[in-house]
Amino acid sequence: MMLKVDAHQHFWRFTEEDYGWIGEEDKVLKKDFLPEQLSILLKENDMDACVAVQARQSIEETNWLIELADQYNFIKGVVGWLDLKADDLEQQLLGYKDKPCLKGFRHVLQAEPDPNFMLDPKFIRGLHILEKHGYCYDLLIFAHQLPHALKLVKQVPNLKIVIDHIAKPQIASGTGFKEWQVIMNELAEFPNVYCKVSGMVTEADLKNWQPSDFTPYLNAVFNAFGTSKVMFGSDWPVCLLGGSYSDIKNIVVDYLQPNCSDNFDDVFGTNAVKFYQL
C-alpha cells in the first residue's frame, strides 16, 4: 500500500528567543506545535507519515527532531541543519550514521542578506560532502534568488535537491511570474532537482486567497517537473497563517483530480518516499 506522505512540516516548542522570525501579526504560531497535534491532523486528512524539517539553525534542532522521529513512527524522515561551511562537516555527519531517520539538511538561504552566500566555495564543498554521504538537500529561497540557485545546482549535479515552497514566488501580486517560470523550467531539466508544492498560501493574500490563485503556479510546476518530481507538503504549522491543514491539502488535491488524477499517489507519497528514501 502506498504511504501517503506530508513531505514538509515543522515542530517547535515556542520561545521568543528561538523563533524571533514569528512576528506579532503571526501570533497564531506563537505556541507549541508537536507530534501529538500533527498525528490527529494526518489521520483526519488521510495521510500516513511526514518529513519533519528544521525551523531553527542549530545542531540542537537536528538532534531534537531525530529524538522525535525515534519516538513517533509516523515521522519517517528528518531534514536537519548543520553548518555546511564547517571544516569538520564530514566528521559531524559520521556521528549521525546510526540515525537512519536523518535524510537531509537545509539552510535558511532566504534569510541570508548576501545573495552569493550559497555560492561560497565552502558552502558548495559542504553540499558535495552531503552527496558523498548519501544525504539530500532542501533548497529554501525566494524567487529573486533563483538565478543564484541555478548556479548552485550546476555545481552539484549529483546531489538530490528539492526546491521548497515552489521557490516562493509573489503569488499575492503576481509580480515576476515570467522570470520565476523561466528559471524553474531550467531547474526542472536537472534530473536531480525536485519541487515541493508547499508553502504557497503564505505567499498569497492570506485572508482572501482563492484556489484559482495557485493554478498558474501549479500549471507551471507540473509542466516543468512532471508528476514524477513533485511532492506535496503542508508546511504545517506555518500554513495556519492562511488556512487549515485540509484547506492547504485540498488546493493540491482539487488541482490534481481534473489534471493528473492518475498521478495522485506520486505527488502524495511515492515521490517523497523515493527522494528521501523513507
Side-chain angles (χ1 to χ4, degrees):
M1 189 176 74
M2 195 272 297
L3 198 67
K4 295 183 282 297
V5 181
D6 179 344
H8 196 107
Q9 53 74 217
H10 309 283
F11 297 118
W12 60 69
R13 296 188 192 277
F14 180 76
T15 66
E16 293 283 355
E17 181 182 4
D18 285 335
Y19 298 96
W21 56 269
I22 301 177
E24 275 308 307
E25 69 278 12
D26 308 330
K27 58 188 175 192
V28 66
L29 302 181
K30 292 191 169 204
K31 58 183 179 181
D32 296 351
F33 290 95
L34 297 168
E36 294 86 352
Q37 296 150 272
L38 182 63
S39 175
I40 294 167
L41 291 171
L42 292 178
K43 287 173 184 169
E44 289 176 351
N45 288 276
D46 193 29
M47 302 294 285
D48 302 313
C50 69
V51 175
V53 180
Q54 62 83 220
R56 297 176 297 164
Q57 301 206 125
S58 69
I59 293 173
E60 291 75 21
E61 170 86 339
T62 304
N63 294 339
W64 181 61
L65 293 177
I66 290 170
E67 287 175 17
L68 292 180
D70 286 343
Q71 293 173 44
Y72 296 91
N73 187 50
F74 69 87
I75 305 173
K76 297 297 185 187
V78 166
V79 175
W81 181 89
L82 286 177
D83 178 4
L84 296 186
K85 293 184 179 183
D87 292 336
D88 66 342
L89 176 63
E90 194 150 20
Q91 287 73 22
Q92 290 187 58
L93 289 175
L94 290 172
Y96 289 107
K97 277 302 177 188
D98 63 340
K99 299 297 181 183
C101 65
L102 182 60
K103 303 300 184 181
F105 294 88
R106 184 174 84 155
H107 187 88
V108 184
L109 290 172
Q110 69 175 35
E112 290 293 341
D114 179 2
N116 288 307
F117 179 96
M118 69 180 84
L119 299 177
D120 184 305
K122 281 192 170 183
F123 192 78
I124 299 295
R125 169 185 167 271
L127 294 177
H128 280 291
I129 291 172
L130 293 187
E131 185 247 315
K132 174 183 172 182
H133 289 274
Y135 293 105
C136 55
Y137 185 72
D138 269 57
L139 184 64
L140 177 62
I141 54 171
F142 286 119
H144 69 81
Q145 295 171 294
L146 278 167
H148 289 82
L150 181 60
K151 292 178 183 177
L152 178 153
V153 165
K154 288 177 178 177
Q155 295 186 62
V156 284
N158 298 312
L159 173 66
K160 288 197 298 183
I161 295 172
V162 60
I163 301 166
D164 289 350
H165 312 330
I166 68 169
K168 293 197 164 189
Q170 298 180 57
I171 297 172
S173 67
T175 306
F177 177 86
K178 286 293 184 188
E179 295 85 347
W180 166 82
Q181 185 179 25
V182 165
I183 301 186
M184 290 293 277
N185 283 340
E186 288 189 67
L187 287 167
E189 292 176 8
F190 293 87
N192 58 312
V193 179
Y194 286 57
C195 185
K196 288 182 185 177
V197 283
S198 60
M200 298 183 296
V201 71
T202 47
E203 304 309 312
D205 183 337
L206 287 174
K207 305 300 181 191
N208 302 296
W209 62 266
Q210 301 294 322
S212 58
D213 296 342
F214 306 104
T215 303
Y217 297 90
L218 290 167
N219 282 339
V221 166
F222 281 101
N223 286 339
F225 289 87
T227 52
S228 63
K229 293 203 299 172
V230 177
M231 58 187 93
F232 165 76
S234 67
D235 198 26
W236 181 89
V238 182
C239 67
L240 300 178
L241 293 170
S244 68
Y245 191 105
S246 58
D247 291 336
I248 303 317
K249 182 187 176 191
N250 286 336
I251 291 169
V252 183
V253 170
D254 293 345
Y255 175 84
L256 285 175
Q257 283 176 339
N259 292 293
C260 11
S261 60
D262 291 345
N263 305 98
F264 186 91
D265 287 353
D266 294 340
V267 176
F268 277 91
T270 304
N271 298 337
V273 169
K274 175 184 170 187
F275 182 85
Y276 286 115
Q277 298 179 315
L278 302 182

